[in-house]
Amino acid sequence: MALGFGAQSLVKDWIAGFFLLMENQFGVGDIISVDNAHTGTVERMTLRVTQIRDSEGKAHYLPNGTLTQVVVLSKDFARAQVDIEVPFEADIDAVMALLSKVGTELSTAWPERVLEPTQVLGVEAIGQNGILLRTLTKVAPGKQWEVARELRRRYLLALRDAGIVIPLPQRIVHHRQGSPVPPEN
């Protein structure tokens, strides 16, 4: 009976692996996220298991029969999403133009990584400390993190040069002098 249950799991892994390979859902070299628990680069695929290596270098061996939701992060193209918070008093249109200019400069400097100039989508949120602006950049597969890091660096430098300070959380503290007022009966 135990052998039957073990064989059932093995057959499930093989069937799932067969369909993964036949449908070409992902392949060796793709970056995938499995069930929101594991993210990494596919290093090996067999009928029974898929091996991925995460950003810390850990190898994960995942039985194909247990893969329920796989997100391929490197199929055809990717998008680098970068959010920038600016102070309330900033000229939003001028900041958006500056972010667009920086994105265009990066697409010229990195044509093999950046497929299209950055789109500045606009105001994503109005927060406690400032206004959040969102940008999206279409990039080569697997390059979204590298491009996002470089965009953040360039945005920070451009905003500094323009005299725009990134808002920091602020707290106002009221200090009372003297003794507290006694409660009324």
Side-chain angles (χ1 to χ4, degrees), residues 84 86-87 90-100 120 133 159 164:
I84 297 291
V86 296
D91 179 350
I92 297 301
D93 292 332
V95 172
M96 289 174 56
L98 179 65
L99 298 178
S100 181
V120 180
L133 300 174
L159 290 170
I164 300 168

Side-chain angles (χ1 to χ4, degrees), residues 7-179:
Q8 181 183 14
S9 165
L10 187 63
V11 169
K12 180 180 173 185
D13 292 342
W14 281 345
I15 290 172
F18 173 77
F19 283 109
L20 282 175
L21 293 170
M22 286 298 295
E23 294 173 355
N24 195 25
Q25 294 175 14
F26 57 86
V28 173
D30 280 338
I31 301 168
I32 64 171
S33 174
V34 181
D35 299 326
N36 291 323
H38 304 289
T39 300
T41 304
V42 177
E43 289 191 335
R44 197 180 81 156
M45 292 178 66
T46 66
L47 282 176
R48 197 175 68 74
V49 298
T50 297
Q51 176 190 343
I52 65 171
R53 188 164 306 270
D54 67 20
S55 62
E56 295 177 352
K58 298 176 196 169
H60 300 267
Y61 296 86
L62 308 169
N64 291 329
T66 64
L67 306 181
T68 56
Q69 182 183 18
V70 177
V71 177
V72 182
L73 303 171
S74 60
K75 194 86 160 180
D76 301 327
F77 68 90
R79 292 199 196 284
Q81 176 182 307
V82 177
D83 292 340
I84 297 291
E85 192 170 12
V86 296
F88 291 113
E89 54 276 352
D91 179 350
I92 297 301
D93 292 332
V95 172
M96 289 174 56
L98 179 65
L99 298 178
S100 181
K101 178 181 174 228
V102 169
T104 301
E105 289 170 356
L106 184 62
S107 69
T108 303
W110 287 8
E112 70 287 349
R113 289 172 245 179
V114 179
L115 303 178
E116 293 178 1
T118 299
Q119 294 177 297
V120 180
L121 300 180
V123 175
E124 184 64 22
I126 299 172
Q128 294 178 357
N129 303 309
I131 299 166
L132 190 71
L133 300 174
R134 174 157 292 168
T135 67
L136 278 180
T137 306
K138 187 174 180 180
V139 299
K143 298 296 182 185
Q144 60 266 43
W145 301 286
E146 178 183 358
V147 169
R149 283 189 296 272
E150 181 62 16
L151 274 171
R152 284 186 202 98
R153 185 185 77 78
R154 289 178 182 228
Y155 287 160
L156 179 62
L157 295 173
L159 290 170
R160 272 189 197 157
D161 288 346
I164 300 168
V165 178
I166 301 293
L168 298 172
Q170 298 180 15
R171 184 174 289 174
I172 298 173
V173 178
H174 298 279
H175 179 70
R176 290 187 179 171
Q177 297 270 338
S179 62

